[in-house]
Amino acid sequence: MRVTTVAASAALMLLTVAGQAHEPGDHAPMQIAQAQAPGAAPAAPAAGGNWFPSKYGPNDTIGAMNLLTPQKVLEAARLVQRGQVYALGVPVGRETPAYPPRFAAVTVMMPDQFAGGIVPSENKVSYADDMFTGWLGVGSQLDSFAHLGIDNTFYNGNKAADFMRTTGVTKLGVESVPPMVSRGVLVNMAKARNKEMLDEGEIITADDLRAAMQAQGVAIRQGDVVLIHTGWVAMLERDPARFGRGEPGIDAGAAEWLAGQGVVAVGADTWGVEAVPFKNPNRIWEGHQILLAKNGVHILEVMDTRALARDGATEFLFVLGQPRLKGAVQAIINPIAIR
């Protein structure tokens, strides 16, 4: 399937360092289109718009995750009343739509077992191994603070030239993200707008989030993980090409407001959390810059929130132990919600 793509500035920065991008060949997935780039209560932003050093200290690397205290974990655990478990990750394969030039492929082999052979042994051992080829920002994913910055400066003032390496980042990698166990909040924007699914480019503002939460009887607390349900994830199965051409999502103001509430992560059932096409095509991925670079708030993409929305869930125990891939800036994940 061929779609029109516009090169991502963040990806281009990395490819400039890494050299020629890998060509996925005949197994390339449909590419995401219409995009140009993918403690105590938080203190107020520094005067003059300065965003580093971080309010958590000049050497901090975990951002808002500092707010995940044992007390917060216990608070979240008390939300479990039914023992009902929800997988929030989607299956990832060769055809999963991905932000260009990303793709993912699994190749299964039976080493040294040719033409139906077995491992030499009396008990006739057979085994299979698999090899992953691709990018880690495919399907349900976690964005680390090394993923996106502002003018080659990332969270807490870290310069790309100082820590960005083709062999893996030396700071801010996904392996250093603490386990994410907290209260999860679902904001059902599809329900708020009385529709099954929001449209591509449909913007969610801070006022929209506040109104939806008030109507749904839920409020954000410090240290929460906030997931936004738009219904868009259904397009993965119904129309993958449409899923990749755009998405509903938050604007910069909503990102600012969420960060100001002291949340540790913001996610959605879309591939980029922000509304695409962008309202102003000359200002792209500002929400990512606000959350990741300026406030140290992680982003969770392609969260399958359908079951939570169907069951009317508004709060739950959220659990994520991401793959600890050393030096990676993203990770394919499957968070769990428990009620």
Side-chain angles (χ1 to χ4, degrees), residues 69-287:
T69 63
Q71 292 74 21
K72 185 66 181 181
V73 175
L74 291 173
E75 171 200 332
R78 287 192 288 271
L79 295 173
V80 178
Q81 300 293 321
R82 307 180 184 185
Q84 192 168 359
V85 178
Y86 302 79
L88 300 176
V90 301
V92 176
R94 293 173 184 261
E95 301 305 318
T96 303
Y99 193 86
R102 302 176 197 164
F103 71 98
V106 172
T107 303
V108 176
M109 298 166 284
M110 297 183 72
D112 300 319
Q113 300 163 77
F114 306 107
I118 60 173
V119 178
S121 55
E122 291 183 3
N123 52 327
K124 299 182 179 181
V125 170
S126 299
Y127 79 96
D129 273 351
D130 43 24
M131 178 177 66
F132 177 82
T133 308
W135 302 61
L136 297 175
V138 179
S140 302
Q141 62 198 265
L142 165 74
D143 286 351
S144 82
F145 304 150
H147 174 53
L148 195 141
I150 302 170
D151 194 17
N152 284 302
T153 303
F154 293 73
Y155 174 70
N156 216 358
N158 287 285
K159 305 293 184 182
D162 294 334
F163 77 103
M164 197 74 64
R165 303 289 184 270
T166 57
T167 52
V169 293
T170 59
K171 291 182 74 173
L172 308 179
V174 297
E175 80 279 8
S176 63
V177 179
M180 198 178 294
V181 180
S182 189
R183 174 178 179 256
V185 171
L186 184 73
V187 184
N188 192 335
M189 288 305 306
K191 179 180 179 180
R193 293 187 177 172
N194 196 29
K195 52 201 301 190
E196 179 184 0
M197 180 186 70
L198 275 59
D199 298 317
E200 45 270 89
E202 189 169 345
I203 293 173
I204 300 168
T205 67
D207 286 342
D208 294 332
L209 292 173
R210 284 191 289 261
M213 287 190 293
Q214 183 175 8
Q216 292 162 28
V218 67
I220 294 175
R221 302 172 191 159
Q222 182 175 285
D224 285 350
V225 172
V226 176
L227 303 181
I228 301 169
H229 176 75
T230 70
W232 193 250
V233 73
M235 284 294 103
L236 266 177
E237 299 160 2
R238 296 181 194 171
D239 189 345
R242 183 182 174 191
F243 179 86
R245 282 196 294 266
E247 61 179 1
I250 62 174
D251 62 6
E256 290 273 15
W257 181 76
L258 287 165
Q261 304 308 299
V263 301
V264 299
V266 174
D269 60 348
T270 62
W271 51 264
V273 177
E274 302 180 53
V276 177
F278 300 102
K279 184 176 181 180
N280 181 349
N282 295 314
R283 299 190 68 84
I284 60 176
W285 300 123
E286 285 189 280

